[in-house]
C-alpha cells in the first residue's frame, strides 16, 4: 500500500449528497484492473446520453486535471461495500477524500487502500467548500497527515482527527496484513513457546497414563 504523508494539489468538488458505490464505479466496470478502473469512475455521470463527455461534471473540469483531493458531499460512498469504488478513485489519482460524513464501509476501504478519509465538522466543511468553489481550480491545498491539518491559501488551517492506529498505518503504508507482519518476531516467539508448552503437557499426560 502506498504510504501517505503530505499531498498537495487541487481539489475536485463533488458535493452532491448520497453518491453511492454503484455511481462511483458501475458494475459493468468491476472486472477492470489497475489503471483501467479509472475509466469506470463515474462512467455514467461523466458522459451524456449520446456518449459524449459531460463538460459540466467536476471530474471533467480541465482546471482540475490530476487533482489528488476529492471534496465529497454528505453520505458519500453509501450503498454496497464495493471496494472497487476506492480502487477506481485511487487509479484516477485521488489520494484524499474530505467530507463531513462518509459511509462507514467506504471509509474503511479507503483506510485499507492508502486513501486518506477526512471528516470535518459542519462549519469547517462549509468554509472549505466555499473556498474550493470560489477558487474553481486556481488554488491548491496541502493535506498533512502527520499534523492532521489541511493547509489552505493565506495561512488558513483546517484541523482534523484520526485514530492513532489509522494514522500510523497510512503513514507507513500498512494494510491489515502489513500491520500484522510488524509483529512477526513476537508471533513466532509465541508460537515456539506454545509449541513447547503443548509438548510438556503431552509428556505429562503420557507420564500419568503410564502410572
Amino acid at each position: 500500500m502506498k504510504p501517505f504523508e503530505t499531498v498537495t494539489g487541487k481539489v475536485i468538488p463533488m458535493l452532491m449528497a448520497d453518491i453511492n458505490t454503484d455511481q462511483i464505479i458501475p458494475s459493468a466496470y468491476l472486472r477492470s484492473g489497475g489503471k483501467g478502473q479509472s475509466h469506470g469512475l463515474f462512467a455514467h455521470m461523466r458522459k451524456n446520453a449520446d456518449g459524449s463527455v459531460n463538460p459540466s461534471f467536476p471530474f471533467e473540469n480541465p482546471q482540475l486535471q490530476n487533482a489528488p483531493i476529492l471534496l465529497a458531499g454528505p453520505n458519500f460512498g453509501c450503498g454496497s461495500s464495493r471496494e472497487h469504488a476506492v480502487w477506481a478513485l485511487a487509479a484516477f489519482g485521488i489520494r484524499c477524500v474530505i467530507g463531513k460524513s462518509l459511509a462507514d464501509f467506504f471509509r474503511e476501504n479507503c483506510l485499507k487502500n492508502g486513501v486518506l478519509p477526512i471528516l470535518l465538522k459542519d462549519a469547517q466543511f462549509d468554509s472549505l467548500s466555499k473556498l474550493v468553489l470560489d477558487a474553481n481550480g486556481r488554488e491548491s491545498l496541502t493535506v498533512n497527515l502527520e499534523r492532521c491539518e489541511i493547509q489552505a491559501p493565506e495561512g488558513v488551517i483546517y484541523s482534523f482527527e484520526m485514530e492513532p492506529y489509522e494514522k500510523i498505518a497510512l503513514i507507513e503504508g500498512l494494510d491489515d496484513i502489513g500491520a500484522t507482519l510488524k509483529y512477526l518476531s513476537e508471533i513466532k516467539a509465541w508460537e515456539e513457546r506454545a509449541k513447547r508448552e503443548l509438548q510438556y503437557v503431552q509428556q505429562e499426560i503420557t507420564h500419568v497414563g503410564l502410572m
Side-chain angles (χ1 to χ4, degrees):
M1 189 170 82
K2 186 176 181 180
F4 188 109
E5 295 180 0
T6 299
V7 168
T8 298
K10 296 180 180 180
V11 185
I12 299 175
M14 187 78 175
L15 300 177
M16 293 173 281
D18 304 318
I19 294 294
N20 63 51
T21 52
D22 189 57
Q23 290 172 297
I24 297 172
I25 182 166
S27 58
Y29 294 87
L30 297 185
R31 293 186 179 181
S32 300
K35 286 291 183 180
Q37 290 183 334
S38 64
H39 298 300
L41 182 65
F42 296 111
H44 294 166
M45 304 175 75
R46 290 165 67 182
K47 294 182 180 181
N48 297 312
D50 62 0
S52 61
V53 172
N54 177 6
S56 66
F57 190 69
F59 277 74
E60 296 298 335
N61 185 336
Q63 297 189 98
L64 297 177
Q65 295 305 300
N66 302 315
I69 303 169
L70 174 63
L71 187 66
N75 200 29
F76 186 85
C78 61
S80 72
S81 59
R82 186 175 296 179
E83 194 169 8
H84 296 73
V86 176
W87 294 348
L89 287 167
F92 189 83
I94 299 296
R95 296 299 321 280
C96 175
V97 180
I98 304 171
K100 57 182 176 181
S101 61
L102 302 173
D104 291 341
F105 277 127
F106 176 80
R107 183 179 182 277
E108 288 298 318
N109 286 334
C110 282
L111 293 169
K112 293 178 181 180
N113 289 280
V115 176
L116 171 61
I118 294 177
L119 292 175
L120 295 180
K121 296 178 180 178
D122 288 358
Q124 288 180 305
F125 183 83
D126 293 343
S127 172
L128 181 59
S129 297
K130 184 178 185 306
L131 185 154
V132 169
L133 292 173
D134 289 347
N136 191 29
R138 294 186 297 272
E139 302 284 358
S140 294
L141 299 180
T142 294
V143 178
N144 187 315
L145 179 54
E146 180 65 39
R147 295 184 178 182
C148 287
E149 290 181 347
I150 301 170
Q151 301 161 2
E154 300 182 8
V156 178
I157 300 292
Y158 300 92
S159 298
F160 60 91
E161 297 179 356
M162 289 288 294
E163 291 293 334
Y165 167 78
E166 297 172 346
K167 180 178 176 180
I168 292 171
L170 283 168
I171 289 175
E172 296 185 5
L174 300 175
D175 56 14
D176 290 345
I177 294 175
T180 301
L181 289 177
K182 285 185 65 176
Y183 302 96
L184 184 60
S185 59
E186 289 92 336
I187 292 171
K188 288 182 175 179
W190 181 88
E191 288 178 337
E192 288 297 322
R193 185 171 65 253
K195 182 179 178 180
R196 290 195 299 270
E197 290 175 352
L198 178 60
Q199 289 174 339
Y200 173 78
V201 170
Q202 290 174 333
Q203 290 172 356
E204 287 297 306
I205 292 173
T206 302
H207 177 71
V208 171
L210 291 175
M211 292 178 62

